[in-house]
Each structure stands twice: as structure tokens, then as C-alpha cells.
Amino acid sequence: MQIKCTQCAADVTVQQDETFIECPFCASALFLDKRKVVFHYLIHSNFKPNEAEGNLKRWMSGNHTVKDLDLKSKIIKSEFYYFPVWYFKTKDSSGDKIHLQPAASTSVSEIKKLQIPAGALKFYDKNLHNEHEIIKPDVLYDSARQWLSDSGVSLETVREAALVHIPFYNFHYTYNGKTYTALVEASSGQVYANIYPAKSEAPFRVLFAMAVTAFILAGIVCYILAFVITDDFGEAVVAAEIFKIISYSLISVPLMIMAYVIAKKI
Ligand SMILES: [Zn+2]
């Protein structure tokens, strides 16, 4: 079969089932999807396994995840691979934009939000990488274009389409008997995870409801008390307001202690 090189327009002969192609004339890396030929890029990894794990641990000790996740979770395995995405560069009056769509199945939809720095795209070179680390695309180019069109992008604005392999460490870890997955993108070190043990907000909501109830009840009690001790309306209102200040400050103390304890625990 013959295809045309996207770069130099030379006719290139390819074998049946061959999808990763190098143009013998200009050395461009190409990807063949049915009859469509696009550039085939790869982004290099800048992180060693232990460095990627360090990023994961920092993310785990951060604010989004449950407290001490870095200490309480256990990493059970990790894999390194180059994950394929469809890359579309569009140009319209608002300028250039890059749209990404996973080219293989993944549970981490945040891959679409990935930022690809200019200059990071290198031609794929099969001599530089282990073939078993390269995930083969199974989402067709046409499906990716359809997705792009469905998400409101005019296909006429597409200036460039390419297949890009992005390096990832895929970590599996356990927490409280459940297994979770997190990806560390190995060129930037950014952590991606859709599902993780998150901080629970429920205890704070309960505490808030308790606080509101306590203040309302205290206000009522203060007024009843004030009207019991004096018959003068003006004096009673002043007394009630003074009682309120005292009782509110007394109630705040245990509430603040509880909020502090909850914040420490979760
Ligand atoms: Zn060429």
C-alpha cells in the first residue's frame, strides 16, 4: 500500500497492518489510521520512577485528599507507559488552541486537560523506546474528529492533527481496603486522578447545623430570661442583648474546639 508523507508529500510504501511509519525520505514519524496519515509524536519523560513517586506522595499529603493519605496508603505497583492521545490544533479569530482526546481507553478523563508545552513534541522513534511501553491507539482518528465536532469545535478550523504518545507512571495504591489509581505525567510531574480518598465535608456540615441551632436557642433563652427579671421593656431588650453576647461567646468556645478537632482528624 502507498501513502503520502504529511511532511514531504513523497509516496511511501507501507506493509499491511503497519501503523507506526517513518518516512524514508524526510525521516518524519507518521501514524496511519486506515487511509489517514498524521504526524506521530512522543513527549520525553523527565522523571525517574522514584521522582514520580515523590510527586504522588506530595499530592497525597495535600489538601484535596484525606488526611495523611501519603502515610496511610500503600503503593502496590506502578507501570510506566506512553499513552496515546489525538492532538488537534485549531486556529480561528481567537487564536491557536490545542484539543486532546484519549486515543485508548482510560478511566482518567482529565488527560484531556493536559498542557503540552511548545517544543515538547518529538518525532516518535522506535529505536529509542521499548515497544511494550508504547500503548497502541484503539480510538480511531475519525471518532476523535467526531468528538471534537460534538464538543462544538468547527472541523474547518483544524490546522494540524497528530497522534502523540505521552509518558505516564500509573500508580496503584490501597487505602482502607480499596484500590485506587493515580497517574503521574512524566514530562511535567503533574498528578492526575479522578477517584481518590477525598476529605469528607459531612462532619463540618453537622457542626454548622449544630452551631446555628445553638445560637437560635440561646437567643430565645436570653430574651425569656430578660423579660422574667425586669418588667421594663427597654431594660429587658438591653439585658437580653447583653446575655446574648455572653452566651454566644461561651457557645463559640466548644464549637471552635470541635471544628479544630475535626480539621485535625480528616
Ligand atoms: Zn517525508
Side-chain angles (χ1 to χ4, degrees):
M1 186 166 88
Q2 293 237 312
I3 60 157
K4 258 205 187 337
C5 173
T6 310
Q7 180 71 18
C8 69
D11 289 323
V12 179
T13 306
V14 296
Q15 306 300 317
Q16 192 108 37
D17 297 334
E18 199 179 7
T19 53
F20 294 174
I21 299 147
E22 192 185 301
C23 172
F25 304 99
C26 71
S28 293
L30 306 171
F31 178 75
L32 176 63
D33 177 331
K34 299 246 175 94
R35 306 288 305 173
K36 176 68 186 173
V37 185
V38 295
F39 284 126
H40 186 189
Y41 296 113
L42 180 141
I43 296 175
H44 288 283
S45 166
N46 295 317
F47 282 77
K48 295 191 177 73
N50 61 320
E51 294 168 335
E53 190 173 322
N55 277 29
L56 177 68
K57 293 275 183 183
R58 263 192 297 285
W59 172 79
M60 283 175 160
S61 67
N63 267 329
H64 301 288
T65 57
V66 73
K67 191 177 168 58
D68 292 335
L69 181 61
D70 53 328
L71 305 172
K72 290 175 182 161
S73 64
K74 189 164 178 276
I75 293 170
I76 45 175
K77 67 172 174 166
S78 75
E79 301 128 15
F80 176 78
Y81 52 67
Y82 292 90
F83 188 85
V85 299
W86 288 108
Y87 169 103
F88 295 97
K89 194 186 219 175
T90 59
K91 192 185 177 74
D92 58 17
S93 51
S94 65
D96 288 2
K97 268 201 207 86
I98 287 167
H99 308 265
L100 301 177
Q101 170 77 340
S105 57
T106 172
S107 60
V108 182
S109 59
E110 283 172 319
I111 281 182
K112 286 180 197 173
K113 293 186 212 146
L114 219 113
Q115 299 286 324
I116 294 185
L121 299 178
K122 308 289 176 204
F123 273 137
Y124 171 79
D125 182 345
K126 65 172 186 288
N127 301 317
L128 286 181
H129 306 284
N130 291 328
E131 208 181 331
H132 72 266
E133 289 178 345
I134 306 286
I135 294 182
K136 294 254 166 37
D138 56 20
V139 173
L140 294 174
Y141 171 77
D142 281 342
S143 315
R145 264 173 76 88
Q146 186 58 49
W147 157 79
L148 194 66
S149 166
D150 291 348
S151 65
V153 177
S154 163
L155 293 179
E156 273 139 43
T157 62
V158 175
R159 290 290 171 271
E160 193 188 337
L163 184 75
V164 182
H165 270 103
I166 300 175
F168 283 102
Y169 288 94
N170 187 9
F171 288 97
H172 304 262
Y173 63 93
T174 53
Y175 171 76
N176 264 354
K178 272 195 187 163
T179 304
Y180 297 87
T181 301
L183 293 177
V184 178
E185 196 273 300
S187 76
S188 66
Q190 181 79 35
V191 176
Y192 294 89
N194 278 16
I195 300 161
Y196 52 83
K199 262 193 174 34
S200 167
E201 284 172 11
F204 287 108
R205 290 210 192 97
V206 171
L207 186 66
F208 181 72
M210 278 170 60
V212 170
T213 313
F215 285 126
I216 291 172
L217 286 177
I220 294 169
V221 169
C222 288
Y223 268 87
I224 293 171
L225 209 62
F227 278 95
V228 166
I229 58 170
T230 172
D231 288 337
D232 184 277
F233 183 80
E235 269 180 32
V237 170
V238 173
E241 288 302 318
I242 293 169
F243 291 161
K244 262 166 78 180
I245 293 170
I246 297 166
S247 62
Y248 279 18
S249 24
L250 289 176
I251 294 168
S252 312
V253 177
L255 286 174
M256 266 155 33
I257 293 171
M258 279 157 80
Y260 177 76
V261 170
I262 292 172
K264 273 270 160 194
K265 271 199 155 170
I266 62 172

